[in-house]
Amino acid sequence: MTHLTVYHEDDPGLPELATGDPVVLVGHLAMTGILFERWSATHPVSQDADSAAILSAYAPDVERLCANRGYRSVDVARVVSGSDNIGTLRAMFLDEHTHGEDEARFFVEGSGAFYLHLDQRVFRIVCEAGDLLSIPGGTRHWFDMGPTPHFTAIRFFTHPDGWRAVPTGSGIAARFPGYDGSIDRTR
Ligand SMILES: [Fe+2]
């Protein structure tokens, strides 16, 4: 189940809120201006579905989001543990950074943890299949796919050349609990 944990930036050991209640979760994220939605496929998607089949299954929501947010391209990214470069790939997103455009992801399968640094708080959102999260450009954040990553995600881009990560150099991410792949481990 999707899970939200909210911390003060100076106290990663004592969450102010930890919830898997979708109503509470959506309400808290809405107050921050972060877009979070739950999507359902229009028809079943097989485990080995190719990108076209995946995009077809979520076409109404994909098209609506692109129209509403101005996203001009999408792709489907698959990450599975066992790949040679998995440690490098995980490390690429583990430090706090920003982007010049939104980071919008829809999880078709698997899971991963986003950490959003909003004012003096850190929102840790463990996303799973069916979750759409859009992080506005300029938002300080990081992402942990866990030590044994497994997810398939639809990615949305405003510019055809994709997005670039700009490190903040704050070091804050190292002070917060990582993601071990378990939805229930929130502290
Ligand atoms: Fe990012």
Side-chain angles (χ1 to χ4, degrees):
M1 187 169 62
T2 314
H3 202 282
L4 169 67
T5 314
V6 182
Y7 306 86
H8 190 279
E9 63 181 1
D10 294 330
D11 199 354
L14 186 62
E16 296 177 342
L17 171 73
T19 182
D21 184 325
V23 175
V24 175
L25 186 152
V26 168
H28 270 78
L29 293 181
M31 285 191 292
T32 67
I34 302 298
L35 178 65
F36 175 86
E37 296 179 346
R38 290 280 301 166
W39 292 0
S40 298
T42 56
H43 52 269
V45 183
S46 65
Q47 285 245 317
D48 58 350
D50 61 16
S51 296
I54 289 171
L55 290 171
S56 171
Y58 295 96
D61 283 319
V62 169
E63 292 169 7
R64 175 180 53 82
L65 187 69
C66 287
N68 289 345
R69 296 274 167 156
Y71 302 144
R72 291 192 255 173
S73 63
V74 300
D75 70 9
V76 176
R78 289 183 191 273
V79 174
V80 293
S81 58
S83 303
D84 290 341
N85 62 346
I86 210 69
T88 303
L89 186 64
R90 182 188 184 195
M92 283 176 61
F93 307 104
L94 278 180
D95 290 326
E96 187 182 72
H97 60 274
T98 63
H99 303 287
E101 64 178 60
D102 294 358
E103 179 168 337
R105 302 285 184 269
F106 172 72
F107 281 76
V108 177
E109 63 168 352
S111 63
F114 286 95
Y115 299 73
L116 313 185
H117 189 185
L118 307 171
D119 294 324
Q120 293 183 303
R121 295 206 153 56
V122 171
F123 288 64
R124 179 184 191 267
I125 307 156
V126 176
C127 291
E128 61 165 13
D131 291 345
L132 176 282
L133 184 69
S134 180
I135 305 169
T139 303
R140 297 173 294 175
H141 69 280
W142 63 97
F143 175 69
D144 190 355
M145 60 183 70
T148 55
H150 174 85
F151 65 87
T152 300
I154 299 175
R155 307 188 300 177
F156 299 79
F157 301 101
T158 306
H159 300 291
D161 61 348
W163 94 117
R164 303 277 186 273
V166 180
T168 67
S170 70
I172 186 174
R175 304 201 303 270
F176 280 80
Y179 179 52
D180 69 355
S182 166
I183 299 289
D184 293 326
R185 183 175 174 184
T186 57
R187 300 190 178 198

